[in-house]
Amino acid sequence: MKSSNYRENVEAVQGLFQNGRVHRDAYISDEIFDIEMERLFGRAWLYVGHESQVPSTGDYITTTLAGTPVIMIRDADETVRVVVNRCAHKGAQLVFEDKGNAGRMLRCPYHAWSYKFNGALLAVSLKSGYENTGFRESEASNGLTVPGGVEVYRGFVFARLSQTGQSFVDYFGDVLSALDNMADRSPTGRLRVGKSCIRSVIRCNWKMYLENINDTVHPISTHESASATARSVGEHFAQTDPTALEQLLPFGSGYDFYTKMGARTLPNGHSILGTRFSIHSEYSDVPGYKDQLAAAHGPERAAEVLQYAPQNVVFYPSLATKGSPQVIRVLRPLAVNLTQLEVWAFQPEGAPDTMLKRGETYSRLVFSPMSVVAHDDVHLFESQQRALASAGNPWVNLQRQARADEPENSDQSFDDGNNELVMRNQYVAWRSLMTTPVTGE
Ligand code: FES
Ligand SMILES: [Fe+2]
């Protein structure tokens, strides 16, 4: 991919999103991807994991944030910490497993420097050799701290890589209410993550996936065969797995269904699709669950929680949630044309076990790359990625219902879920961060 020197040319980056269209370089330029990692993912609050993945002191999981390896670990005082998985001495990785228990400290396997779980340097080998060397003022003495900080909201753990950027609450604003809704689906207000996630790598740019999360026009055509299959084997499903049937049939909903579902954009690229109803609104009741929730939260809050079932809530740029059926998707971009997807289902603590089963069934049927739904999407995303690199029209069009005087980066609610404003809103945030160089860059 030839470089356009986007790093030096803010106006050229600005021009990649204009008049409701996105230039193909946003999806295929390596240089743009590198700038995204620094200016966008570096300053955004990114989803790390859920606190229930690390229940006991020393329990950890490893993952990456914008290419930076990190460890999420439970400290002795029960606080969940996030630190970089990169030794402050010479950069060796501290732990190599997906998950485990670190014991009482994090110890580097290379020269045995050790760290507290909050990332502070605990001890170095041959300590006396560092006296009067200026070591205390060095970067190494900062340990493993993630500069932007860590926030845990209702059990969901986020971190920010860069010291600059908005505070957690300012960055997410009211979209956090979707996490309240999800946590309050438990009588105790706590969720527990399922035993494992579905992890896959898709050969497309991360933005294609994230856009599609708000694309209501595609299911009727893209997933025509999935809903047709569900209909044709409906009788069999109804006997064996009614959950599967009620989850798959709505994929055949027509364009009209989405015109009334309601949507909301929020500043910084976040959105809620299906503020009134969605394909998840008609799931059958789980016996006893409503009463449990009413006893715990009061009948009003319980009804409010259960009635609110958006299709997708986007926590730009790394997380999308479905309150019902308690499933989240996490995007971790690996390269300009490579995106890792994780799908996690949750059990609301204290609720019937069928709640987790519902989420796991949904994940398997709809989000697994082997499912009857996701392979249709993935096939098309990968074709977009290949075709956009070829000559011809350089623009991706997101102009449906665009208005010249459309307010940008604002909290707006509207009826029609087919309005591509929910996608344009992502690019408004993208353009804003991408055209603001990181201090010192
Ligand atoms: S690289 Fe970790 S102690 Fe040397
Ligand atoms: Fe889809």
Side-chain angles (χ1 to χ4, degrees), residues 76-113:
D77 67 355
E78 302 212 332
T79 311
V80 176
R81 313 279 190 187
V82 179
V83 296
V84 295
N85 190 7
R86 182 184 188 282
C87 183
H89 179 209
K90 293 176 77 174
Q93 213 170 301
L94 293 151
V95 290
F96 290 83
E97 306 297 323
D98 284 351
K99 57 182 179 181
N101 187 286
R104 297 210 317 267
M105 68 184 96
L106 286 163
R107 182 171 174 271
C108 180
Y110 199 178
H111 312 97
W113 285 23

Side-chain angles (χ1 to χ4, degrees), residues 34-56:
D34 291 345
I35 301 172
E36 283 178 340
M37 291 305 101
E38 287 168 31
R39 295 183 188 169
L40 198 162
F41 281 78
R43 287 180 291 194
W45 285 92
L46 303 177
Y47 180 69
V48 185
H50 190 263
E51 64 172 8
S52 62
Q53 290 173 268
V54 291
S56 308

Side-chain angles (χ1 to χ4, degrees), residues 58-316:
D59 283 354
Y60 70 82
I61 60 136
T62 56
T63 185
T64 57
L65 299 177
T68 300
V70 296
I71 305 168
M72 182 177 94
I73 192 162
R74 177 79 67 168
D75 212 337
D77 67 355
E78 302 212 332
T79 311
V80 176
R81 313 279 190 187
V82 179
V83 296
V84 295
N85 190 7
R86 182 184 188 282
C87 183
H89 179 209
K90 293 176 77 174
Q93 213 170 301
L94 293 151
V95 290
F96 290 83
E97 306 297 323
D98 284 351
K99 57 182 179 181
N101 187 286
R104 297 210 317 267
M105 68 184 96
L106 286 163
R107 182 171 174 271
C108 180
Y110 199 178
H111 312 97
W113 285 23
S114 60
Y115 302 88
K116 294 183 185 173
F117 293 155
N118 66 6
L121 190 56
L122 194 61
V124 301
S125 314
L126 303 174
K127 188 177 170 205
S128 59
Y130 291 97
E131 275 165 25
N132 305 317
T133 62
F135 179 75
R136 261 197 217 153
E137 290 74 47
S138 73
E139 298 77 10
S141 66
N142 291 336
L144 311 173
T145 317
V146 173
V150 179
E151 291 281 345
V152 183
Y153 189 87
R154 302 300 304 264
F156 295 86
V157 183
F158 295 82
R160 196 184 63 194
L161 291 171
S162 165
Q163 248 166 347
T164 59
Q166 289 179 281
S167 73
F168 178 78
V169 168
D170 288 348
Y171 182 72
F172 282 126
D174 209 22
V175 78
L176 290 171
S177 62
L179 297 184
D180 291 324
N181 176 282
M182 212 159 149
D184 287 345
R185 284 172 181 267
S186 153
T188 68
R190 281 190 298 273
L191 301 170
R192 181 168 45 77
V193 79
K195 278 214 167 58
S196 59
C197 75
I198 297 173
R199 186 176 288 134
S200 58
V201 174
I202 305 169
R203 284 168 294 181
C204 75
N205 185 265
W206 64 275
K207 296 189 293 300
M208 285 172 188
Y209 195 99
L210 200 63
E211 268 172 54
N212 181 71
I213 287 176
N214 279 340
D215 187 323
T216 53
V217 177
H218 87 284
I220 183 110
S221 41
T222 303
H223 303 305
E224 193 178 3
S225 62
S227 57
T229 304
R231 276 197 306 277
S232 69
V233 295
E235 219 168 280
H236 166 73
F237 259 139
Q239 304 297 323
T240 58
D241 196 348
T243 306
L245 193 62
E246 69 182 16
Q247 290 181 338
L248 278 179
L249 280 177
F251 278 84
S253 306
Y255 298 127
D256 283 356
F257 177 82
Y258 297 103
T259 58
K260 302 180 200 77
M261 77 189 314
R264 182 177 171 195
T265 58
L266 292 110
N268 300 321
H270 317 307
S271 57
I272 303 171
L273 183 67
T275 46
R276 295 193 180 151
F277 60 83
S278 77
I279 60 169
H280 308 302
S281 296
E282 298 299 323
Y283 291 171
S284 52
D285 286 344
V286 173
Y289 175 52
K290 255 186 191 169
D291 295 340
Q292 265 185 329
L293 222 53
H297 303 319
E300 239 170 70
R301 175 63 183 157
E304 182 185 44
V305 165
L306 292 175
Q307 178 275 329
Y308 191 68
Q311 185 127 336
N312 286 306
V313 180
V314 170
F315 293 73
Y316 190 76

